[in-house]
Structures are given as C-alpha cells and as structure tokens.
Amino acid sequence: MARRSTPDLGGSFALGARRVHRVGYGAMQLAGDGFSGPPRDHDEALRVLHAAVAGRVDHIDTAQFYGSGTVNGLIREALHPYPAGLAIVSKVAVGHDTRAADLHRGIEDNLRALGLDRLAAVNLRMPDPLAVPDRGFDAQLASLVKAREQGLADGVGLSNISRQHLLRALEQTEVVCVQNLFHLLDQRSLDVLEECAQRGIAFVPYCPLGWPLAARQRILDSPVLAELGTRLVATPTQVALAWLLDLAPNVLLIPGTRTRAHLAENLRAGDVVLDDDARAALQRSFPPGERRPTPDPHALRPPTGRTRSLGPPESPGSGDAGSPGR
C-alpha cells in the first residue's frame, strides 16, 4: 500500500474543548544534555519545531522548567505568532510544600515565556503517583481550577497520578487530560488509561518509547518489533508508538526528539495499522502487569524553574538514543 504524502497522525481526539491530532510533539528533548540548559544545536531545534507544525502537529507539550526556561523560549522564537488551532499544553510541578501562589506563578511564567495569554491546558504534576491524595492535593488542584476560571488555561490536567487521584479530582472539577509514564515495558497506569477512556479524557503517555534507558533499549531492540516492522513496513519506533495508539482512541502521543529525521519517523507512526496477529505478538512479549518503580525522567523540584534529572546525562553525540522520547 502506498503511503500518504502527509502523515495521518492517527486521527484526532478531544483535548478539552479542542480536537487535536493524536500524534503531537513533546518539547522536553529540545533542552540540553540532562534536559537542562540550552539545546546542543539552537538552529536545528527551531527547524524541528517548524517541521512539526508543517507536518500538521497541533499539540505541543512543554514546561517552563524544561531547559530552565530555554525550551519555552525556543517555541516562542520558532512559532510565535502561533498558528490558529495550535494547542500548547504545559505543567506545573508540585513539591511537598508547594503553595497555591507558587503554582499560579508557575503558570504565569509559562505564559510569559511562550508569549501566550492562555494555555490549551495546564497539568498538575504530582511528585509520587503512589501517594494517597489528601487535602493538600485538593488545595493544589483548586489553584489550577482558579487559574482556569481566570482565563489562564482552557483546561486542567493531571500528571504522574494514580486512578485514586483522578477520581478524587473528578469530584471537584473537569479534567481534560492525564499524562502518565506508559510504554510497552511499564503498563502500571493501565487502570488510569481505562478510566480515562470510559470518561472521554485524553490519556497522554510520556516516555512512550521506554524509560529508563535500559527499558528503551530493550523495547527498540526487540526481535518482535523488528519482525512486525518488516511485515508492516515500519520501524521498531513506529511499531512501539502505533501500539499505544491502538490501545484506545483517547491516547494522544507526544514523542519528543531533537532531530527532524526522528520527528518524521515519529509522525509516521499514525500510519501504522496493527492487526490481530501483531497485537497478540506484542501482548505475549510485553504482557501487562505490575512493574518495579522506575526513575522519573523529570524528578522535579517545586516549581522554581529548575529541574534535576535522576537519569544519567546524555553523552555528547548520542542523538536521541539517550533520551526518554517523551
């Protein structure tokens, strides 16, 4: 079968009041090594962003703490004034002593750096998905609800949460998206994905190609993905991303990259159609089940604009190989 001249991008799904293509772009990797500081190649970073929008990407995920503010600056430099219909989603991180004022200031920092009056959504990112949601969670969530009411964001989302967090949040407000770690080797958030699917909430898996790096390597080196890629005329990366799209119609992807070649590869994942034999082979090789806790690629401090990575910094010249593929 001949390929389309432009990527299909997996169809579309609702992101709150908007509707976006199911394959988007995650901007975290535009930061420097260890996800901090400026990019290795400033001009290529701008070209990647231009290529994403030219490829009809209309959902970009970012955060002010990516590259200590440099990533949001790159997005603004490359794309402002923004194309109509482009949904930019950001997040604010929660620490144990994070106050509502900190979260509000974090949202304003994102808007200022991006040159926006309003985000498509802002995610409340929890430090520990295993923590029991309490009144502190309620207060932090309320600060994002207030920001939405003030017109700073169209929707409120959650990140790094359990199903219990989601259900407690839904008692208090509408939730437009959930971002959780999810890939072939770590499917612990399957119950969250299923709850989101039942409620029509977008589920956005981060690190979709695996994290930590050993997991990513195991996924992309899998002979099963290689065999399926040969049969489906796709790369292992595209098969791994297509598996996520195939799980449920509410899955929105935000794979990240710092090169145009990998961006083009990622965008074509929406063209890959898995059949029953492919699904069965992937389930046999990567059965769902409890996985041991993995390091968080964000490992965020409270929203001060700084980030600390638990993963090893990428080695010079490693391209995307050392990155989580957010």
Side-chain angles (χ1 to χ4, degrees), residues 247-258:
L247 285 175
N250 65 315
V251 171
L252 300 180
L253 294 185
I254 49 168
T257 179
R258 54 170 59 102

Side-chain angles (χ1 to χ4, degrees), residues 117-239:
D117 296 323
R118 191 181 188 100
L119 293 163
V122 59
N123 289 304
L124 180 67
R125 191 171 197 289
M126 304 308 297
D128 182 4
L130 300 180
V132 176
D134 55 16
R135 282 183 288 184
F137 170 74
D138 297 342
Q140 291 156 351
L141 180 64
S143 69
L144 266 65
V145 172
K146 182 177 180 180
R148 182 187 63 200
E149 293 170 347
Q150 293 172 332
L152 303 183
D154 288 332
V156 170
L158 300 168
S159 180
N160 202 39
I161 62 157
S162 66
R163 181 173 175 269
Q164 189 176 1
H165 284 106
L166 176 59
L167 295 178
R168 181 157 177 150
L170 288 170
E171 293 174 353
Q172 303 169 61
T173 188
E174 178 187 11
V175 174
V176 301
C177 57
V178 171
Q179 286 189 6
N180 270 16
L181 179 69
F182 198 93
H183 52 75
L184 277 164
L185 277 172
D186 192 331
Q187 302 176 41
R188 284 174 293 166
S189 285
L190 187 58
D191 60 339
V192 181
L193 166 56
E194 291 170 344
E195 191 68 39
C196 287
Q198 291 173 12
R199 295 174 179 269
I201 298 170
F203 181 86
V204 187
Y206 65 78
C207 300
L209 297 177
W211 186 262
L213 300 185
R216 175 186 170 99
Q217 205 63 47
R218 179 179 163 191
I219 290 171
L220 296 184
D221 288 347
S222 165
V224 173
L225 266 67
E227 292 166 9
L228 289 175
T230 299
R231 181 165 70 81
L232 300 173
V233 193
T235 67
T237 290
Q238 290 168 339
V239 173

Side-chain angles (χ1 to χ4, degrees), residues 7-146:
D8 176 67
L9 300 183
S12 64
F13 191 77
L15 181 62
R18 304 176 185 230
R19 197 163 188 93
V20 298
H21 294 124
R22 295 181 64 211
V23 181
Y25 176 72
M28 183 172 71
Q29 289 190 42
L30 293 181
D33 293 343
F35 317 120
S36 63
R40 298 177 187 173
D41 187 332
H42 177 273
D43 291 342
E44 178 65 6
L46 299 182
R47 287 189 286 263
V48 167
L49 288 163
H50 283 298
V53 172
R56 299 187 304 123
V57 165
D58 56 5
H59 171 203
I60 293 178
D61 176 80
T62 186
Q64 181 63 13
F65 44 74
Y66 290 170
S68 300
T70 60
V71 169
N72 277 351
L74 288 167
I75 293 171
R76 180 174 185 169
E77 182 180 354
L79 303 178
H80 192 275
Y82 298 107
L86 178 63
I88 297 182
V89 176
S90 193
K91 60 190 70 65
V92 285
V94 170
H96 296 297
D97 57 352
T98 303
R99 300 171 301 167
D102 297 325
L103 297 174
H104 194 277
R105 185 164 49 251
I107 295 170
E108 291 182 327
D109 288 346
N110 274 280
L111 292 170
R112 189 179 305 111
L114 290 163
L116 283 172
D117 296 323
R118 191 181 188 100
L119 293 163
V122 59
N123 289 304
L124 180 67
R125 191 171 197 289
M126 304 308 297
D128 182 4
L130 300 180
V132 176
D134 55 16
R135 282 183 288 184
F137 170 74
D138 297 342
Q140 291 156 351
L141 180 64
S143 69
L144 266 65
V145 172
K146 182 177 180 180

